[in-house]
Amino acid sequence: MTATPTRPMTAPTTWHHASAMWSVVELLLGLSFCATVAFGGYAAATGHMQVLSQGAAIVFITTLVVVLVHWFRAVEASEH
């Protein structure tokens, strides 16, 4: 004899489809991180390209803040 659970089946998790703009922001976050690490390492090793590494770091920090704010707002909205 097989045991059948008495609790109801849970609904499957639904995925919210990301917009094209959100995909671009996430791609920019990853690319700016790679650029920051690459240019920062090159600048540390050679003393050149410091402006590019600083610019990439500013873009990375800005996009990171945008992604985190969006994520926290989504979590807060799902709690209500």
Side-chain angles (χ1 to χ4, degrees):
M1 190 160 95
T2 59
T4 57
T6 57
R7 64 183 173 92
M9 298 270 303
T10 58
T13 304
T14 58
W15 291 91
H16 300 286
H17 297 289
S19 66
M21 179 59 92
W22 187 245
S23 297
V24 169
V25 168
E26 289 179 340
L27 182 62
L28 181 62
L29 178 65
L31 290 175
S32 64
F33 175 75
C34 291
T36 300
V37 171
F39 290 142
Y42 184 77
T46 63
H48 295 61
M49 299 183 104
Q50 294 173 356
V51 174
L52 283 177
S53 64
Q54 291 171 353
I58 290 170
V59 171
F60 172 69
I61 296 293
T62 304
T63 54
L64 180 65
V65 167
V66 167
V67 168
L68 287 177
V69 166
H70 181 269
W71 183 72
F72 279 118
R73 284 186 180 173
V75 167
E76 186 177 291
S78 69
E79 289 178 353
H80 292 278

